[in-house]
Amino acid sequence: YLASLEREAQVQALLAGTRERLRRIYAGTDDESARRAAKEREFAALRSAYAGLRASWRGPPDFDAWFNGTLNNAALGAAAAY
């Protein structure tokens, strides 16, 4: 149980960092195509960071389905709400 809580906290930290970096991207002065490319890089980096984190865990793949799904702002917002 405690390992599950720790994994959840680690994932929430990854998501919070991604939300913050996306916030800065959207607040920037880049044009739409540059913002879109930066956003895609952030989501790719999030998946990569999760894969590294996941490799260090023993136990069930609690978040694999979520990370294998569509990552977008709505998904990040929903994850932050729960």
Side-chain angles (χ1 to χ4, degrees):
Y1 175 75
L2 293 177
S4 177
L5 290 178
E6 183 177 336
R7 288 191 298 268
E8 184 175 347
Q10 291 170 329
V11 167
Q12 287 297 331
L14 286 179
L15 299 180
T18 299
R19 283 192 306 273
E20 176 58 26
R21 287 186 297 279
L22 287 171
R23 186 195 63 74
R24 282 188 252 133
I25 289 168
Y26 299 138
T29 59
D30 291 339
D31 65 24
E32 180 67 24
S33 64
R35 277 196 304 269
R36 186 167 288 144
K39 177 180 157 183
E40 292 305 316
R41 284 191 302 272
E42 280 303 322
F43 283 121
L46 174 60
R47 276 197 166 95
S48 178
Y50 172 71
L53 189 59
R54 174 69 178 91
S56 71
W57 293 344
R58 288 190 235 174
D62 297 332
F63 301 95
D64 285 6
W66 192 86
F67 277 93
N68 289 331
T70 301
L71 293 183
N72 55 34
N73 295 336
L76 288 178
Y82 297 98

